[in-house]
């Protein structure tokens, strides 16, 4: 017989990452997963300083230590996004990154969390747009007893 998990039996931790330039035209490691798998319940990114104007895209991916890198969402055109724009994912890897420019955004991962392996959570952007920064918050809990998320 399996274990019954209730909201009261899960301890979810928020881990913030300082603002950094992630629209670099490449891949940037945001978080490291070590010791075992984790459940990612929530993930919010917010533009602190807008990037230079120009076309670019943004998405997030899981890059395991062993196995194949997997998109956590499809790319979103972020070329005109202003400071305070929020991003999140809906838990469906083929759906584009979600955006709000109005100061609020539902984070649907709570009902559809990711199980992520040991490795990294990364951002991937299409074109380098200097000068901007994005900060991140992740809500997670261990899936395996030793699973840990760090920056």
């Amino acid at each position: 017989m399996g274990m019954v998990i209730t909201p009261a039996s899960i301890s979810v931790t928020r881990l913030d990452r300082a603002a950094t330039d992630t629209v670099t035209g490449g891949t940037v490691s945001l978080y490291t997963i070590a010791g075992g798998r984790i459940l990612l319940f929530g993930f919010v990114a917010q533009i602190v300083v807008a990037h230079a104007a120009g076309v670019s895209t943004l998405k997030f991916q899981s890059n395991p230590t062993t196995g194949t890198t997997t998109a956590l969402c499809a790319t979103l055109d972020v070329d005109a996004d202003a400071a305070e724009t929020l991003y999140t994912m809906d838990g469906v890897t083929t759906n584009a990154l979600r955006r709000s420019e109005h100061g609020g955004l539902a984070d649907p991962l709570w009902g559809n969390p990711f199980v992520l392996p040991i490795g990294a959570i990364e951002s991937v952007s299409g074109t380098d747009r200097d000068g901007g920064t994005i900060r991140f918050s992740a809500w997670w809990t261990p899936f395996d007893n030793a699973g840990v998320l760090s920056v």
Side-chain angles (χ1 to χ4, degrees):
M1 176 175 262
M3 178 174 64
V4 175
I5 297 177
T6 64
S9 68
I10 296 175
S11 177
V12 176
T13 302
R14 185 182 86 205
L15 180 60
D16 296 327
R17 185 183 197 291
T20 188
D21 182 5
T22 58
V23 183
T24 62
T27 301
V28 175
S29 181
L30 302 174
Y31 292 100
T32 300
I33 302 165
R37 298 168 293 177
I38 68 161
L39 277 171
L40 182 65
F41 284 102
F43 184 86
V44 175
Q46 181 179 27
I47 294 178
V48 175
V49 176
H51 291 83
V55 176
S56 194
T57 58
L58 185 64
K59 73 173 185 175
F60 300 103
Q61 65 186 18
S62 168
N63 185 357
T65 303
T66 303
T68 303
T69 299
T70 303
L72 299 176
C73 61
T75 58
L76 176 71
D77 178 354
V78 296
D79 63 309
D81 292 353
E84 304 302 318
T85 298
L86 298 169
Y87 304 107
T88 191
M89 300 171 284
D90 66 8
V92 179
T93 60
T94 55
N95 287 352
L97 186 63
R98 296 169 48 105
R99 166 184 42 223
S100 172
E101 297 171 351
H102 307 291
L105 180 65
D107 185 357
L109 274 184
W110 288 96
N112 198 20
F114 287 115
V115 176
L116 298 178
I118 294 171
I121 299 172
E122 301 172 330
S123 70
V124 180
S125 60
T127 305
D128 187 6
R129 294 292 167 231
D130 293 332
T133 58
I134 301 175
R135 68 177 167 210
F136 300 87
S137 295
W139 288 262
W140 69 280
T141 194
F143 185 84
D144 298 321
N145 288 337
V148 175
L149 184 69
S150 64
V151 290

